[in-house]
Amino acid sequence: MSEPRLRVLSLIPPMTQLNTPYPSTAYITGFLRSRGIPSEQEDLALALVLRLLSKDGLARVLDAVLDIPKKQRSPALRSFIHHYEHYQRTIAPVIAFLQGRDTTLAHRIVSRTFLPEGPRFAAVDAYTIDDQQDPLAWAFGALGTHDRARHLATLYLNDLADVLRDGIDERFEFVRYAESLAISQPTFEPLACALAAPANLIDRELAALTLATITRHQPDLVLLSVPFPGAVYAAFRIAQTIRANHPQIRIALGGGFANTELRELKEARVFDYFDFVTLDSGERPLLALIDHLQGKRSAERLVRTFVRENGKVRYINFPEPDVPFEEWGAPTWDGLPIHDYLSLLDMLNPMHRLWSDGRWNKLTVAHGCYWKKCSFCDITLDYISRYETASAEILVDRIEAIIAETGQTGFHFVDEAAPPKMLKALAEELLRRGVTISWWGNIRFEKSFTPELCQLLADSGCIAISGGLEVASDRLLTLMKKGVSVEQVARVTAGFSQAGILVHAYLMYGFPTQTLHDTVDALEYVRQLFAEGCIQSGFFHRFACTVHSPVGKNPEEYGVQLIPLPEITFATNDVGFIDPTGVDHDALGRALNKALYNYMHGLCLDDDVRGWFAEFVDERIPKPRVARHFIARALDAQHGGGRHEPR
């Protein structure tokens, strides 16, 4: 008689995304099943939101809100109470509409009489341009009824998220939950205090979902995949519920948060909730862990795993090779309610909206990064440093298996930077087999992406790409070891745009030694890239120094001094630093983001960039050192001077 096999349940904790499942459990479930290990998965992030945003859920929210004294109620709470019956009538139809189950409701939503409109709807009037009577006409045009409706329905949900935040838990957001309790938090104490506090409504709803899931699957081992700090609190609450009600179940924590922030873990109290914490790619550690739980190997032969022994944390890493990327198998979404995800429309920009619009099958073209030199990146960690590929034939096999399972042909390639050689081979294989998909992903703006390759990628189904321009300054790009120049970025992005592929640029400010003049120059480059149609969207983020990056490892090479960290027993990632330039990057960031918002909407592209800084900076703004038609001339030079006259 064969021995009973250990049953595994992988859970996605709140909060991640609402439009598509986070792919970590799909990868692990597919891999474990390929090894004959019974494995199931559920998305408790989506389940929690759907439970709260229901008629019964809103009734429970109202009860909690009414317990708050009138004088302490925020505008969001007052609006919710006033419109409560209206919310009760509309919540189920709106959720069904955003799930794609009732598309004809769009006509009622765009009438602006169907939905209750709370404080978030005030933003709609801010979109008005040139005194147009229809404030959304510029974004959607006369035929954009469905998109208009999804944007308005998203504002409606955001109003309700504000109610949950103001009335139930001030730490709540749809895409992150209680992030401050975990992100670069040196001690466990804030999280421990939060977990010891009386459960609020959201905690109780999550506990009920957790217990129902355990009853349904009867697992022996529960895996909690935590990609971001904003999913940590809920993961611990889930583990707390399982431990209190099913103490025989073993629980393991892994995912991106553990991989980056828990590498120095010393806090024994973490193991009041979890039996194991694993690092980096989970395939080999999980095989070792499952063998251990089945009595086939000792604890001494666990791989990249923290445990608690005699009250102290111990890290065990038996030397064993990782499972090759080619042997991971296809991810599976079996068990995840792929038709229940909500297709939201927060950002109106056609490229930026892809992150929350539509359900994408997430897939990795290659493990790690083929470049792994950027000085701001965690290049010392496994998810960057260990570069492995699979053949194009295997990748397309996985794509076909996913399409057969989900019935959906949209793919988001979630690589750190998809290698051009692999993308070329993948495109050729897709075309050879006649496999029709729509895909987008992240790349480096390197010269290998010729106009001919861009067109090939478009022919294979590429609709959009994102890439890091970071600080648009050749001096700083060299310091970053980015391996590109602004002129090269212009030519590559123009090639993508001319092939009909939308381009999103990741932008950075506050990099070590970046001056005010550098920042003005960078914005001038960005203005020209938008004006020439090279990029369609972007996002400026403040540089953060991490302990795993070259800047964090060797700050003296970048002209900065690190601020000493406190004693670390829990999480560590970001580290503060002193930059001798003394620039007020917070003020510059506000100027950059205001400019970028307008550029993404096609506005002010001929204005002097110094005007954006004047509102936020109390000093003379230097004139850009960048020639006003630098990008146009670079593109003309690529085409032998025959492209067009500079604007």
Side-chain angles (χ1 to χ4, degrees), residues 128-253:
T128 304
I129 296 171
D130 296 333
D131 297 321
Q132 295 182 63
Q133 290 185 345
D134 180 355
L136 294 181
W138 67 272
F140 299 116
L143 299 178
T145 300
H146 192 263
D147 280 350
R148 291 169 183 247
R150 284 196 298 121
H151 182 58
L152 294 170
T154 300
L155 294 176
Y156 167 96
L157 292 195
N158 288 339
D159 273 329
L160 290 174
D162 292 343
V163 172
L164 293 169
R165 185 196 65 225
D166 296 349
I168 309 297
D169 190 337
E170 64 182 1
R171 305 163 301 193
F172 182 84
E173 292 183 54
F174 275 150
V175 294
R176 58 180 65 90
Y177 188 10
E179 182 180 66
S180 63
L181 296 176
I183 187 168
S184 298
Q185 189 62 257
T187 80
F188 188 64
E189 196 59 31
L191 184 54
C193 290
L195 294 167
N200 60 39
L201 174 63
I202 297 173
D203 296 328
R204 294 193 296 273
E205 298 291 344
L206 181 57
L209 288 167
T210 299
L211 292 176
T213 300
I214 296 299
T215 298
R216 189 157 49 248
H217 296 290
Q218 297 292 307
D220 302 298
L221 172 64
V222 170
L223 309 176
L224 279 154
S225 179
V226 179
F228 315 116
V232 171
Y233 170 74
F236 273 80
R237 278 291 192 187
I238 291 167
Q240 183 182 54
T241 299
I242 297 172
R243 183 74 85 221
N245 293 274
H246 300 279
Q248 79 284 1
I249 295 175
R250 312 305 291 273
I251 312 171
L253 172 69

Side-chain angles (χ1 to χ4, degrees), residues 622-641:
K623 183 179 180 180
R625 292 167 290 199
V626 181
R628 188 159 178 84
H629 301 298
F630 175 89
I631 298 296
R633 288 172 179 147
L635 298 177
D636 281 342
Q638 183 183 30
H639 293 85

Side-chain angles (χ1 to χ4, degrees), residues 14-309:
M15 297 299 296
T16 52
Q17 290 177 269
L18 297 181
N19 67 307
T20 198
Y22 194 79
S24 56
T25 64
Y27 267 104
I28 286 299
T29 302
F31 171 72
L32 292 177
R33 288 183 182 180
S34 74
R35 297 300 177 103
I37 299 169
S39 188
E40 303 292 340
Q41 61 185 328
E42 291 213 14
D43 187 344
L44 293 186
L46 177 68
L48 177 63
V49 168
L50 294 181
R51 188 179 178 97
L52 291 167
L53 301 186
S54 65
K55 294 181 71 173
D56 290 342
L58 292 185
R60 291 189 287 272
V61 171
L62 178 67
D63 289 341
V65 167
L66 291 176
D67 286 338
I68 299 173
K70 288 184 178 180
K71 291 184 179 180
Q72 297 177 19
R73 294 173 187 167
S74 68
L77 298 183
R78 293 195 297 270
S79 176
F80 175 67
I81 294 169
H82 179 71
H83 293 294
Y84 173 72
E85 294 299 330
H86 201 166
Y87 279 110
Q88 278 287 303
R89 292 194 303 272
T90 53
I91 187 63
V94 168
I95 293 296
F97 169 72
L98 290 172
Q99 291 172 330
R101 301 179 190 274
D102 188 6
T103 58
T104 57
L105 190 69
H107 299 280
R108 295 198 67 189
I109 292 174
V110 299
S111 71
R112 301 289 298 277
T113 61
F114 179 70
L115 299 179
E117 298 192 357
R120 291 284 189 138
F121 281 78
V124 174
D125 296 329
Y127 299 145
T128 304
I129 296 171
D130 296 333
D131 297 321
Q132 295 182 63
Q133 290 185 345
D134 180 355
L136 294 181
W138 67 272
F140 299 116
L143 299 178
T145 300
H146 192 263
D147 280 350
R148 291 169 183 247
R150 284 196 298 121
H151 182 58
L152 294 170
T154 300
L155 294 176
Y156 167 96
L157 292 195
N158 288 339
D159 273 329
L160 290 174
D162 292 343
V163 172
L164 293 169
R165 185 196 65 225
D166 296 349
I168 309 297
D169 190 337
E170 64 182 1
R171 305 163 301 193
F172 182 84
E173 292 183 54
F174 275 150
V175 294
R176 58 180 65 90
Y177 188 10
E179 182 180 66
S180 63
L181 296 176
I183 187 168
S184 298
Q185 189 62 257
T187 80
F188 188 64
E189 196 59 31
L191 184 54
C193 290
L195 294 167
N200 60 39
L201 174 63
I202 297 173
D203 296 328
R204 294 193 296 273
E205 298 291 344
L206 181 57
L209 288 167
T210 299
L211 292 176
T213 300
I214 296 299
T215 298
R216 189 157 49 248
H217 296 290
Q218 297 292 307
D220 302 298
L221 172 64
V222 170
L223 309 176
L224 279 154
S225 179
V226 179
F228 315 116
V232 171
Y233 170 74
F236 273 80
R237 278 291 192 187
I238 291 167
Q240 183 182 54
T241 299
I242 297 172
R243 183 74 85 221
N245 293 274
H246 300 279
Q248 79 284 1
I249 295 175
R250 312 305 291 273
I251 312 171
L253 172 69
F257 172 77
N259 299 343
T260 54
E261 303 225 14
L262 297 187
R263 306 191 80 87
E264 306 297 324
L265 181 63
K266 300 181 182 68
E267 176 56 73
R269 286 179 293 176
V270 167
F271 297 89
D272 293 339
Y273 305 85
F274 295 95
D275 299 287
F276 311 97
V277 177
T278 67
L279 298 184
D280 302 327
S281 295
E283 287 76 15
R284 179 60 68 194
L286 284 177
L287 290 180
L289 176 56
I290 290 169
D291 277 351
H292 169 60
L293 293 177
Q294 292 182 321
K296 298 178 181 179
R297 69 164 67 198
S298 69
E300 297 298 322
R301 297 181 65 233
L302 291 173
V303 177
R304 294 196 301 272
T305 300
F306 287 102
V307 298
R308 181 169 61 184
E309 289 183 355

Side-chain angles (χ1 to χ4, degrees), residues 413-436:
F413 297 143
V414 292
D415 301 69
E416 297 301 317
K421 183 178 179 180
M422 283 304 306
L423 288 180
K424 180 176 185 291
L426 176 62
E428 290 172 342
E429 184 67 11
L430 288 167
L431 292 168
R432 185 184 71 80
R433 293 199 204 178
V435 177
T436 299

Side-chain angles (χ1 to χ4, degrees), residues 614-626:
E615 179 183 349
F616 302 100
V617 178
D618 294 328
E619 60 181 287
R620 188 185 70 82
I621 311 302
K623 183 179 180 180
R625 292 167 290 199
V626 181

Side-chain angles (χ1 to χ4, degrees), residues 18 94 131 153 294 355 367 378 380 497 510 622 632:
L18 297 181
V94 168
D131 297 321
Q294 292 182 321
W355 275 268
H367 181 280
D378 293 341
T380 59
S497 294

Side-chain angles (χ1 to χ4, degrees), residues 494-508:
F496 279 109
S497 294
Q498 287 160 14
I501 296 171
L502 295 169
V503 182
H504 174 88
Y506 291 110
L507 302 161
M508 183 186 295

